[in-house]
Amino acid sequence: MAVNFEVPLSGGDVSEGVVRVGDTVRRPLGAHSPAVHGLLRHLEAVAFDGAPRVLGVDGRGREVLSWVPGEVPRRPLAGFVVSDEALRGVGRLLRRYHEAAASYEAPEGAPWDGETSNLDGEPEVIGHCDVTPENVVFRGGTPVALIDFDLARPTTRLFDVVTALRHWGPIADPADRDALLYRVDVGRRLRVFCDAYGLDARERREVLPAARVRFERSYRAMQVRAEGGGVWARMWRGGAGQRIRRAQDWLERYWDELDARLW
Ligand SMILES: Nc1ncnc2c1ncn2[C@@H]1O[C@H](COP(=O)(O)OP(=O)(O)O)[C@@H](O)[C@H]1O
Ligand SMILES: [Mg+2]
């Protein structure tokens, strides 16, 4: 019998105790896990290949997900991660995910992660809500899967797009960006992403206003989470709130330029 060692995984900064065991990933369960598993099972039922499969819960009370083969970006980000091709790929992947998730009828009162920010529109879909580079699996330079659905919850497609753009534009002060993204033309990148996603004109007009609202909500939500201690408090002490404030200032300062580039 093959012995499967536990290999710690540390791509993101939130979950402690994420490990790889053979072709599986074991992650701590949370209150939101049953809701997330329902979503992942739906994605499997509609044959969406861009997400891990749920395989169950192990003897140590951890969720068991399938290992998605490929490469997950690490910091500092490599050139292929900041390319236009990657940007288009993530836009298309998010669109395909939304199409697959749209037919999911989540059980009433499903315990999604609740404290994160949101916009005010009627929810249209269970969004991934955390499409960071660390949560995308690449294969041969192409984004092929989303992982880490811990923050998934009912939201609008626009909110999910804006969250992705926060990281992939990135909508961030240059001081807080990865080196290879320091000088990029963010407005152009927003347009490349929106084109690949297929965002229509009405929604595109809402991108920057949605980013503005989202930043303020994220700041508050993160502050509340940080008060609860743990990893969130550590992120807050590490300057997460200040980074949001700098991003807000940057967005307001370059608003017109970004807006002009979106079209
Ligand atoms: N199903 C999976 N397939 C491949 N790699 C994974 C998978 N799940 C997690 N990983 C790797 O482990 C890292 C951390 O896992 P993740 O689920 O994102 O937890 P968190 O961000 O909360 O720490 C990811 O960035 C990725 O590198
Ligand atoms: Mg993650």
Side-chain angles (χ1 to χ4, degrees):
M1 195 183 89
V3 177
N4 282 324
F5 296 102
E6 302 220 342
V7 183
L9 296 168
S10 60
D13 40 20
V14 174
S15 307
E16 284 166 17
V18 179
V19 297
R20 176 178 179 176
V21 183
D23 289 336
T24 71
V25 174
R26 315 289 168 114
R27 304 174 82 261
L29 286 168
H32 58 280
S33 299
V36 170
H37 291 177
L39 170 66
L40 293 177
R41 290 207 167 92
H42 169 82
L43 295 175
E44 180 172 14
V46 298
F48 175 69
D49 58 6
R53 303 295 179 224
V54 195
L55 304 173
V57 173
D58 73 8
R60 290 166 59 177
R62 301 175 297 188
E63 66 178 357
V64 185
L65 305 177
S66 64
W67 171 259
V68 181
E71 199 179 339
V72 177
R74 304 190 139 262
R75 309 279 171 170
L77 298 176
F80 78 89
V81 182
V82 305
S83 68
D84 279 7
E85 199 190 327
L87 203 53
R88 276 193 282 271
V90 176
R92 282 195 292 260
L93 178 61
L94 187 61
R95 178 61 182 253
R96 281 206 301 124
Y97 163 69
H98 285 162
E99 278 165 9
S103 53
Y104 181 50
E105 297 216 8
E108 199 66 32
W112 304 104
D113 181 279
E115 285 184 57
T116 35
S117 58
N118 205 348
L119 298 175
D120 299 319
E122 260 309 291
E124 302 164 329
V125 70
I126 306 300
H128 179 283
C129 301
D130 197 19
V131 183
T132 62
E134 289 83 356
N135 289 337
V136 174
V137 182
F138 283 73
R139 234 173 275 143
T142 303
V144 293
L146 301 173
I147 53 173
D148 192 357
F149 284 73
D150 279 351
L151 298 187
R153 64 181 185 279
T155 186
T156 57
R157 295 183 311 120
L158 180 68
F159 179 85
D160 223 6
V161 166
V162 167
T163 298
L165 290 175
R166 158 81 170 122
H167 303 285
W168 290 91
I171 305 178
D173 187 290
D176 297 316
R177 294 184 205 161
D178 236 73
L180 291 181
L181 291 166
Y182 190 72
R183 288 175 199 285
V184 293
D185 180 344
V186 173
R188 192 189 67 79
R189 287 175 59 87
L190 300 189
R191 190 185 67 234
V192 168
F193 188 99
C194 291
D195 286 348
Y197 178 90
L199 208 64
D200 66 29
R202 183 187 57 80
E203 292 168 311
R204 212 174 282 221
R205 265 192 295 280
E206 290 305 313
V207 165
L208 297 184
R212 178 187 271 157
V213 174
R214 183 189 171 277
F215 275 133
E216 197 50 39
R217 303 250 170 109
S218 305
Y219 185 88
R220 305 263 168 244
M222 206 172 243
Q223 195 172 33
V224 168
R225 281 179 190 248
E227 281 161 13
V231 284
W232 292 98
R234 202 163 65 222
M235 279 163 72
W236 191 256
R237 282 196 303 276
Q242 285 154 11
R243 278 193 292 280
I244 295 175
R245 287 292 185 233
R246 281 194 292 273
Q248 285 177 301
D249 290 346
W250 182 85
L251 174 63
E252 298 302 331
R253 190 150 161 226
Y254 290 94
W255 186 285
D256 292 344
E257 220 168 285
L258 295 171
D259 197 45
R261 297 294 253 156
L262 258 168
W263 303 90

